[in-house]
Amino acid sequence: MQLAGIIENIIYSKEGFSIANLSEDDSNKHHTILGNMNVVIGEHLKLNGHFEKSDYGIRFKVKDYKRNVPNTREGVAALLGSGLLKGIGPSRADWMVNHFGTEVVDIIKNQDSKILEVPGIGKKLADTIYEQWHQFYGKERIVSLLASS
């Protein structure tokens, strides 16, 4: 079974295993998900797995997953403000989305110098942000490419 949505909060995370709450795209239903995954609040995921009943209720056990960059202003602000990128907190993320819209993701991906328009971001911090983004999302692309070959 497939499920897609945004991570709303993380209940538990240690050594690559996470339990989190996900808001489903199509229905806005909330599900507890668990599995071997490193996730952050605001992240959009496509999951494969199945529902199982446990002492804690019905949970979605993740077999595998794929990260997707959110495409809404709220999703992008939540992702950027989640702590994923050191140097961007919730306030700075809101400023970036209000100034650039969802295009801010492309600015970061493409290492565009427009990011220097953000108050408090200089060349050194911009380079760190670019590097962290590519470390986080680059791993997913490599794994996907290897899995498809």
Side-chain angles (χ1 to χ4, degrees), residues 92-106:
R92 189 169 279 161
D94 287 341
W95 189 96
M96 292 169 79
V97 171
N98 287 335
H99 187 71
F100 295 116
T102 58
E103 181 189 342
V104 70
V105 171
D106 292 327

Side-chain angles (χ1 to χ4, degrees), residues 3 6 14 20 29 33 35 47 53 57 77 81-82 100 110 129 145:
L3 197 62
I6 294 177
K14 187 172 182 180
K29 287 183 182 176
I33 62 170
L47 312 166
K53 191 172 181 175
S82 69
F100 295 116
N110 298 325
I129 290 167
L145 288 171

Side-chain angles (χ1 to χ4, degrees), residues 2 4 7-8 12 16 37 45 52 58 62 69 71 73 75 78 80 95 109 112-113 115 123 127 129 135 143:
Q2 290 190 332
I7 299 294
E8 291 197 322
Y12 174 83
M37 55 190 171
L45 302 176
E52 65 180 18
I58 297 174
V62 177
V69 177
N71 57 9
R73 293 172 69 91
L80 294 178
W95 189 96
K109 275 193 224 176
D112 191 323
S113 63
I115 199 166
K123 175 87 170 99
D127 289 343
I129 290 167
Q135 283 178 349
V143 169

Side-chain angles (χ1 to χ4, degrees), residues 8-73:
E8 291 197 322
N9 72 337
I10 297 170
I11 299 166
Y12 174 83
S13 183
K14 187 172 182 180
E15 298 175 5
F17 179 83
S18 297
I19 301 172
N21 288 327
L22 178 116
S23 176
E24 191 175 355
D25 286 346
D26 297 333
S27 65
N28 263 355
K29 287 183 182 176
H30 298 272
H31 303 287
T32 299
I33 62 170
L34 69 145
N36 292 320
M37 55 190 171
N38 289 314
V39 296
V40 296
I41 294 170
E43 192 170 23
H44 186 271
L45 302 176
K46 286 190 179 179
L47 312 166
N48 288 310
H50 63 276
F51 285 101
E52 65 180 18
K53 191 172 181 175
S54 75
D55 292 341
Y56 302 101
I58 297 174
R59 307 182 306 179
F60 189 82
K61 186 165 184 175
V62 177
K63 179 182 172 189
D64 58 62
Y65 69 102
K66 181 180 183 208
R67 288 186 168 95
N68 290 322
V69 177
N71 57 9
T72 64
R73 293 172 69 91

Side-chain angles (χ1 to χ4, degrees), residues 84-142:
L84 170 67
L85 304 173
K86 304 289 185 253
I88 300 179
S91 296
R92 189 169 279 161
D94 287 341
W95 189 96
M96 292 169 79
V97 171
N98 287 335
H99 187 71
F100 295 116
T102 58
E103 181 189 342
V104 70
V105 171
D106 292 327
I107 290 169
I108 293 169
K109 275 193 224 176
N110 298 325
Q111 301 181 8
D112 191 323
S113 63
K114 284 184 188 177
I115 199 166
L116 298 173
E117 295 174 19
V118 179
I121 295 184
K123 175 87 170 99
K124 186 175 179 179
L125 181 54
D127 289 343
T128 300
I129 290 167
Y130 302 146
E131 182 181 324
Q132 291 174 81
W133 180 271
H134 289 284
Q135 283 178 349
F136 194 73
Y137 280 97
K139 288 179 194 173
E140 296 302 312
R141 277 192 220 100
I142 291 168

